[in-house]
Amino acid sequence: MSTGRKLAVVGVGYSPVSRKTDLTVHETAYLACKTAIEDSGLKPAEIDGVAQYGFPFEMVTTWEVSETLGIGELQWYTDLSGTGPAGITGVIAAAAAVASGSCDACVVYRTVSRAGGHSGGEGSRTAPKAVGGDMQFSAPYGNFAAPQWFGMYMRRYMHVYGATEEHFGAVAVTQREWAALNERAIFRDPMTMEDYLACRYISEPLRLFDCDLPVTGAGAVIITTAERAKDLRHRPVYIDSWAFGTGPRPDWFQWPDMANMGSHHAAPKMWQRSQFKPEDVDTAQVYDGFTIITLQWLEALGFCKFGEAGPFVAEGNTRLGGKLPTNTNGGMLNIGRVHGISHVIEAVEQLRGNLGPRQVANARVAVAANGGGPTAGCMTFYRE
Amino acid sequence: MSQAPQLPRPLPLPDKFTQFYWDAAKRHKLAILRCQDCGTFIHMPRPLCRGCLSSNLAPHDTNGLGTVYTYTQTHYIYHPYWADKAPYVVALVELEEDPSVRIVSNIVECPIDQVHIGMPVEVVFEELADEVSIPQFRPRQSPS
């Protein structure tokens, strides 16, 4: 990308991420940021930018993080909420801020709470008597939650491209293979296609194993200039390009072509701005809130043709040793829904090259992508 | 099943932009907001036309015909009303008069395994409570 200063990711980190914990969302935000700051080698006082993306019921503000961690005088900060493509929303904002010179070193985090209102979360089972806003056109019909919406996207995708349930299953089975190599993953036992097909529907054709795993936890990333990155702890991972996309109508149900998603609008823009092409990518970390989203990102990013991501995954291309190792930490299906910042962290860690059994050999270029339905954001990273 | 008290399904909570829609439903019409300057259909209701930014909008009574664009059968119980009704269909119906308008609906008067993409449907009205009707779609019975 030609605009602004050359950028590097210099720190990454997680808080403990688990299905059951006594940690509050505030503790997880602080612990993830502390881990990322220590990973970078920067002192808190050297950080002058803070960004976060979160939903209101689990948000920890940039002020709270700055005050608690002794972060320096803020030159730039933003609290993003609601409509963005998950955790990468804040990462793209932070990259733009450092590239422009609005700040020199920015910590960005995403905090999630299982007790919150995500579908499948403990706060998601409610019995409202009357519903306002746009949901007044959905709630009377029992249409409440993302698994239903993605069930409808899946059905349309199957109708247009002839995709099968086994194609979605291939994502779940392959990512479980990766999870077995990741000691941080929560689900690590092998899963077969029979296991996938035997599991219950949430909203047909979407099954339980198509869904990511609700957890409490946080992830954080630190971005600074390539110049500042020279003498920090890790070999820098550079940011090449990024893009957002919504498509023509940012609405879940009025979105024109539900066999596609916002990813099909974000990815071409990113490649226009990039020094790389899809065939240069060594590993992809693409959103897997639901397995349909993973398939659509693989197509949108140009790793296979439209409608062919199912066979692409089923043939083993996204496995260890495959053409495009994908979601190499097991994805949110298995490590838990850290809401997309985990895809950025895994891309950076793959390019650092120290991931042990799940390391992609000689990984030099990585893509991270978040968001489904109308929301999409993607980034390309590289090492020199 | 136990004899737990039947919780009603959630009702729409109209506001100044949506009141016309539910008023129309009460008289058994499916009304969609339409720009009086450029003809664009606006759903969900908004105070401006996304085609020309006009605020000269008025409800238009549609012919109530549509086609199933996509659907899902929901098995998970998100709300106790559906506890003894799952699996149930949630569909998006595109309207014949402007297929870019999609209405969320259950497909009623139809076995759950008969619903399919491309199915011609027509609007009917379901009474949820005193003075509250909601549009629903059923397989089309009138000649199209």
Side-chain angles (χ1 to χ4, degrees), chain B residues 6-120:
Chain B
Q6 177 68 65
L7 266 156
R9 65 205 280 170
L11 301 179
L13 195 62
D15 55 49
K16 63 190 280 197
F17 303 118
T18 67
Q19 186 69 52
F20 79 90
Y21 185 91
W22 302 112
D23 287 348
K26 222 181 293 179
R27 56 182 174 83
H28 289 193
K29 288 290 179 190
L30 176 63
I32 299 296
L33 215 51
R34 191 167 197 191
C35 177
Q36 302 302 294
D37 292 330
C38 76
T40 300
F41 283 90
I42 313 295
H43 186 73
M44 291 164 287
R46 298 285 187 256
L48 295 176
C49 169
R50 73 172 181 285
C52 71
L53 302 187
S54 169
S55 50
N56 184 18
L57 312 178
H60 165 86
D61 283 352
T62 68
N63 65 12
L65 300 178
T67 306
V68 173
Y69 177 76
T70 189
Y71 66 99
T72 182
Q73 298 106 322
T74 297
H75 294 242
Y76 186 86
I77 308 304
Y78 290 98
H79 184 289
Y81 172 79
W82 280 272
D84 58 353
K85 297 171 185 70
Y88 60 96
V89 169
V90 174
L92 293 179
V93 171
E94 49 182 26
L95 296 188
E96 184 185 79
E97 284 175 78
D98 182 352
S100 78
V101 175
R102 297 202 194 116
I103 309 291
V104 175
S105 173
N106 310 121
I107 303 300
V108 298
E109 300 175 39
C110 180
I112 190 166
D113 59 354
Q114 301 289 304
V115 178
H116 59 273
I117 288 175
M119 180 183 217

Side-chain angles (χ1 to χ4, degrees), chain A residues 16-236:
Chain A
V17 173
S18 59
R19 306 180 76 188
K20 212 168 177 56
T21 178
D22 293 330
L23 293 175
T24 66
V25 287
H26 285 79
E27 287 172 289
T28 66
Y30 304 150
L31 288 172
C33 292
K34 170 186 149 91
T35 307
I37 291 169
E38 290 174 351
D39 180 60
S40 74
L42 286 163
K43 295 183 185 67
E46 293 179 272
I47 291 171
D48 62 352
V50 186
Q52 62 92 13
Y53 178 80
F55 296 144
F57 51 77
E58 61 196 0
M59 182 185 281
V60 179
T61 67
T62 55
W63 279 25
E64 291 169 305
V65 163
S66 300
E67 166 65 12
T68 303
L69 296 185
I71 283 171
E73 185 183 338
L74 294 182
Q75 306 299 314
W76 181 87
Y77 63 95
T78 188
D79 290 282
L80 297 155
S81 180
T83 53
I88 210 167
T89 312
V91 182
I92 290 176
V98 178
S100 71
S102 300
C103 59
D104 290 326
C106 187
V107 59
V108 48
Y109 56 95
R110 174 72 172 106
T111 299
V112 293
S113 165
R114 194 181 174 200
H118 291 288
S119 3
E122 288 153 14
S124 69
R125 293 179 201 94
T126 56
K129 288 192 173 67
V131 177
D134 285 349
M135 282 301 284
Q136 72 189 273
F137 298 100
S138 279
Y141 304 94
N143 182 31
F144 293 102
Q148 299 175 289
W149 311 344
F150 283 98
M152 290 194 275
Y153 276 82
M154 283 169 84
R155 180 86 68 192
R156 188 72 197 175
Y157 179 80
M158 294 167 83
H159 174 78
V160 171
Y161 293 121
T164 65
E165 295 194 347
E166 284 82 355
H167 291 151
F168 305 112
V171 174
V173 169
T174 304
Q175 290 193 192
R176 186 61 67 83
E177 291 173 11
W178 281 110
L181 306 176
N182 178 8
E183 61 191 20
R184 294 187 64 109
I186 293 169
F187 287 160
R188 300 185 67 190
D189 294 339
M191 182 199 291
T192 64
M193 186 60 77
E194 289 68 37
D195 296 332
Y196 171 83
L197 292 171
C199 96
R200 64 190 164 96
Y201 287 118
I202 301 298
S203 199
E204 201 173 334
L206 186 144
R207 297 174 187 275
L208 181 66
F209 289 163
D210 291 307
C211 305
D212 62 7
L213 177 65
V215 289
T216 296
V221 168
I222 296 178
I223 295 171
T224 187
T225 61
E227 187 61 31
R228 180 68 188 89
K230 276 180 188 163
D231 59 353
L232 292 178
R233 276 190 58 202
H234 292 278
R235 180 170 67 175

Side-chain angles (χ1 to χ4, degrees), chain B residues 121-132:
Chain B
V121 290
E122 64 186 12
V123 76
V124 289
F125 291 86
E126 188 171 349
E127 317 298 326
L128 293 199
D130 284 349
E131 302 290 293
V132 183

